[in-house]
Amino acid sequence: MEEIEHRIVQVNGIKMHIAEKGEGPVVLLLHGFPELWYSWRHQIVSLASSGYKAVAPDMRGYGDTDEPPSLHSYTSLHIVGDLIALIDLLGVDQVFVVGHDWGANIAWHLCLFRPDKVKALVNLSVHYFPRNPMLKPIQIIRAVYGDDFYVLRFQEPGEIEAEFARVGAETVIKKFLTLRDPGPLMIPKATGFGISPNSPITLPSWLTQKDVDYYAGKFEEKGFTGGLNYYRAFDLNWELTAAWTNAQLNVPVKFIVGDLDPSYHVPGAKEYIHGDAFKRDVPLLEEVIVMEGVAHFTQQESPTKVSKHILDFIQKF
């Protein structure tokens, strides 16, 4: 960990913090919510020791990367723009990409918008969601889950930030990262998380207090708004990506999901992943891996296996 290098780079009009290690073909590692470059700490070391240059940014709005004030600055077009600028700054024509959670969603869009920049993709947790031309995402989510579903609770600027501030960043990080229930995450307005800042949360073996302190320190410093704005741009993304309706994603792909991941238990997800539709939308999908006993934070919960899955795939290219 101490040998991971850090620097601030200028990309797409913002200053971005990146963590990097190794020499060789570039592997770009994209984190989700509520995470940071740190989510990839194990993979950075593993990839670097296997002949690759691992690069993990704090995504726009997170950690030591700039946080533009407008929620309209968090569309997939903006964030993919950051990544294209980063790839160019690294001085390479193409990269391998690994994404998790929102990072997976952004990785799908990166491959959709600029497949010429991606050699191959390994995505964790969040499968590809083709654009529904008839319904906006928030309409669909509300119809399926109702207003207490976490994505809906994240929509109103300032509201969930106040709830997070009440319980504190450390408790928020612990609550999210230790979730093992594959059912939908609900945050009712009346009860919120249903926990107090003093409620003890037992950490699993893969997550130390030192890890929690790193995350919590960065989120205490910056707040959660930057990350929450990704959710608030759902419908704006839908509007901006109309030109890609029914477009196929033509990049070699390996998809990995835990069998306890709530993303795997979204209504229709298993049918999509294991049926014909995923392969129709992503014709170069080569592998689907379901990891037993693993929940949402895949690369942290099972770092050795995930690193091996990544290497086994990208070494083909």
Side-chain angles (χ1 to χ4, degrees), residues 254-312:
K254 180 174 187 172
F255 179 69
I256 302 169
V257 67
D259 65 350
L260 299 178
D261 192 327
S263 301
Y264 190 52
H265 294 268
V266 168
K270 292 178 185 177
E271 292 80 1
Y272 179 83
I273 291 166
H274 299 294
D276 297 330
F278 199 2
K279 186 75 173 175
R280 179 197 65 219
D281 295 329
V282 186
L284 301 182
L285 176 67
E286 294 192 17
E287 292 182 72
V288 171
I289 304 293
V290 180
M291 299 183 70
E292 290 185 14
V294 175
H296 183 63
F297 295 93
T298 329
Q299 75 272 34
Q300 297 183 78
E301 292 184 40
S302 190
T304 303
K305 287 183 179 179
V306 168
S307 295
K308 185 176 187 305
H309 276 306
I310 294 168
L311 284 164
D312 285 349

Side-chain angles (χ1 to χ4, degrees), residues 111-112 128 244-251 279-283:
C111 294
L112 194 61
Y128 182 61
W244 286 273
T245 302
N246 296 325
Q248 291 182 315
L249 195 149
N250 288 300
V251 167
K279 186 75 173 175
R280 179 197 65 219
D281 295 329
V282 186

Side-chain angles (χ1 to χ4, degrees), residues 3-311:
E3 296 172 2
I4 295 174
E5 297 177 355
H6 299 265
R7 59 178 167 139
I8 302 293
V9 296
Q10 189 80 29
V11 296
N12 195 25
I14 65 170
K15 291 178 181 175
M16 171 179 274
H17 165 248
I18 62 172
E20 57 190 342
K21 182 176 172 63
E23 297 294 334
V26 174
V27 184
L28 194 57
L29 302 159
L30 309 179
H31 71 78
F33 180 91
E35 299 177 271
L36 301 161
W37 73 269
Y38 191 81
S39 308
W40 301 106
R41 58 197 179 278
H42 306 294
Q43 286 72 37
I44 292 171
V45 174
S46 175
L47 288 162
S49 67
S50 301
Y52 293 89
K53 180 180 180 67
V55 180
D58 280 338
M59 302 289 275
R60 172 180 290 235
Y62 285 90
D64 295 320
T65 293
D66 281 352
E67 180 187 12
S70 171
L71 65 86
H72 296 96
S73 298
Y74 291 83
T75 72
S76 294
L77 290 170
H78 287 89
I79 300 158
V80 169
D82 298 344
L83 300 177
I84 294 297
L86 176 58
I87 293 167
D88 290 345
L89 182 139
L90 293 169
V92 294
D93 293 328
Q94 285 190 314
V95 296
F96 294 107
V97 178
V98 185
H100 170 255
D101 187 75
W102 258 107
N105 187 290
I106 296 300
W108 292 123
H109 283 95
L110 171 59
C111 294
L112 194 61
F113 301 157
R114 292 298 304 272
D116 59 303
K117 289 292 186 181
V118 183
K119 290 182 192 174
L121 168 66
V122 180
N123 253 353
L124 314 179
S125 293
V126 177
H127 67 73
Y128 182 61
F129 281 85
R131 183 181 182 275
N132 183 330
M134 305 306 294
L135 293 171
K136 292 184 177 182
I138 296 301
Q139 284 178 280
I140 297 171
I141 294 168
R142 181 174 280 112
V144 174
Y145 293 113
D147 289 334
D148 285 342
F149 188 56
Y150 79 102
V151 173
L152 276 298
R153 289 296 318 282
F154 286 1
Q155 292 303 305
E156 184 61 36
E159 188 176 285
I160 200 70
E161 286 95 328
E163 170 72 10
F164 288 172
R166 184 184 70 78
V167 299
E170 180 178 344
T171 300
V172 172
I173 293 300
K174 285 182 176 179
K175 179 69 174 178
F176 273 99
L177 267 61
T178 60
L179 282 172
R180 303 290 294 172
D181 183 352
L185 173 60
M186 299 295 183
I187 310 178
K189 281 193 177 183
T191 57
F193 269 137
I195 53 175
S196 73
N198 299 318
S199 299
I201 297 177
T202 303
L203 298 182
S205 60
W206 56 267
L207 184 68
T208 68
Q209 185 61 45
K210 181 181 175 183
D211 298 332
V212 171
D213 290 345
Y214 184 86
Y215 285 117
K218 293 298 181 183
F219 282 104
E220 286 282 7
E221 182 182 324
K222 190 160 209 135
F224 289 90
T225 298
L228 293 165
N229 281 342
Y230 287 59
Y231 295 90
R232 292 165 184 162
F234 256 134
D235 281 354
L236 184 54
N237 281 333
W238 180 86
E239 294 173 15
L240 293 172
T241 56
W244 286 273
T245 302
N246 296 325
Q248 291 182 315
L249 195 149
N250 288 300
V251 167
V253 171
K254 180 174 187 172
F255 179 69
I256 302 169
V257 67
D259 65 350
L260 299 178
D261 192 327
S263 301
Y264 190 52
H265 294 268
V266 168
K270 292 178 185 177
E271 292 80 1
Y272 179 83
I273 291 166
H274 299 294
D276 297 330
F278 199 2
K279 186 75 173 175
R280 179 197 65 219
D281 295 329
V282 186
L284 301 182
L285 176 67
E286 294 192 17
E287 292 182 72
V288 171
I289 304 293
V290 180
M291 299 183 70
E292 290 185 14
V294 175
H296 183 63
F297 295 93
T298 329
Q299 75 272 34
Q300 297 183 78
E301 292 184 40
S302 190
T304 303
K305 287 183 179 179
V306 168
S307 295
K308 185 176 187 305
H309 276 306
I310 294 168
L311 284 164

